[in-house]
Amino acid sequence: MSERRVAIVTGAARGIGAAIARRLAADDYIVLLACRDSQKGETVAAECREHGVDALVVAGDVTCAEDCSTLVKTAIGHYGRIDLLVNNAGITRDNLLVRMKPEEWDEVLRTDLTAVYMMMRLVTPYMLRARRGRVVNITSVAGITGNAGQANYAAAKAGVIGLTKSAAKELGSRGILINAVAPGFIETDMTKDLPEKQAKAALDHVSLRRFGKPEEIAAVVSFLASDAASYITGQVIVADGGLAL
């Protein structure tokens, strides 16, 4: 068994997930990067290894139960422990509710909510045996406020909040802390292609008048994974620059 703490980060090949993986490596975690694009994942893993820790890319799809199982078995097989799970993988398939196709609804719910359940269900038995562990779920401010054109995404992210709180109540007595982070507009692939007019309109609602950086979300995850957050569970930390005020 590894003496270092071990973290699994889903959706780790880019954006917020990549920033979280790099930050956890800097925090001395061994990191398993779960992603669909193994080539991009290897680039992030190499950056993680610069901190003197091991980093392993596990290619797969979090909507596939077999891939999720392989990911967890890989972590246990290589390192013998899982100390932290960060459920970050997510997609959007935006459309107005009256135009939303069933497949657009299903795909987002499978990726953004059901995959979170599957990963938590697979990882927490190992944490229960160790009587310790952390789970940080990346939700969204849209799951709190709703967002026009994102009924599927907002519903999934609201579901993640409910899942986080329920699991925290179930598992807290066994030393497992489960929290969520709700980003607002962050500089990622999801926001970089926004039309200029739409981006400006979004910024008008952000008190800080700028989009957040992936590293700022990673810093919140780092805190929730740290000893400093040992009495925090079932919470949703909103990191949105004042968007939802």
Side-chain angles (χ1 to χ4, degrees):
M1 178 181 288
S2 171
E3 293 183 2
R4 277 195 169 103
R5 294 170 299 175
V6 176
I8 293 175
V9 182
T10 69
R14 60 181 184 172
I16 292 172
I20 291 170
R22 289 190 294 263
R23 177 59 184 258
L24 292 175
D27 291 342
D28 207 38
Y29 274 88
I30 292 170
V31 185
L32 281 86
L33 298 91
C35 52
R36 291 180 177 179
D37 190 331
S38 57
Q39 187 173 353
K40 287 184 178 178
E42 287 293 351
T43 299
V44 179
E47 295 169 340
C48 291
R49 295 184 193 112
E50 291 176 1
H51 294 284
V53 299
D54 198 9
L56 187 64
V57 175
V58 183
D61 184 346
V62 291
T63 67
C64 172
E66 185 176 345
D67 286 358
C68 290
S69 180
T70 297
L71 172 59
V72 174
K73 288 177 180 177
T74 299
I76 295 299
H78 278 73
Y79 307 110
R81 61 192 288 177
I82 301 171
D83 300 274
L84 171 64
L85 167 65
V86 182
N87 283 305
N88 166 76
I91 62 169
T92 56
R93 297 290 183 268
D94 296 351
N95 213 337
L96 294 174
L97 179 62
V98 294
R99 298 176 183 170
M100 188 171 288
K101 299 174 184 176
E103 54 267 30
E104 291 173 332
W105 173 271
D106 290 341
E107 189 177 1
V108 170
L109 268 289
R110 283 199 309 271
T111 304
D112 293 15
L113 178 57
T114 302
V116 176
Y117 146 76
M118 287 197 297
M119 286 301 302
M120 290 175 66
R121 183 175 178 271
L122 288 166
V123 164
T124 50
Y126 296 100
M127 295 180 175
L128 283 168
R129 290 171 202 162
R131 298 191 69 86
R132 68 175 185 276
R134 305 284 177 96
V135 177
V136 180
N137 296 321
I138 306 302
T139 178
S140 169
V141 70
I144 300 171
T145 65
N147 200 24
Q150 289 192 316
N152 48 3
Y153 183 73
K157 293 302 188 179
V160 169
I161 292 172
L163 173 58
T164 297
K165 291 180 176 291
S166 297
K169 287 185 176 183
E170 291 181 13
L171 300 171
S173 64
R174 300 294 291 275
I176 302 171
L177 280 59
I178 303 178
N179 293 288
V181 180
F185 288 106
I186 307 299
E187 293 176 355
T188 66
D189 290 346
M190 282 188 181
T191 59
K192 72 176 184 180
D193 294 328
L194 284 175
E196 184 178 351
K197 184 177 180 180
Q198 189 175 347
K200 184 180 183 304
L203 285 173
D204 286 343
H205 294 283
V206 178
S207 296
L208 298 186
R209 294 296 188 268
R210 66 174 178 85
F211 287 173
K213 298 182 183 301
E215 291 75 18
E216 292 175 304
I217 304 304
V220 181
V221 174
S222 173
F223 166 69
L224 290 172
S226 74
D227 292 340
S230 59
Y231 202 58
I232 299 174
T233 194
Q235 301 305 304
V236 182
I237 309 299
V238 177
D240 68 351
L243 174 65
L245 292 177

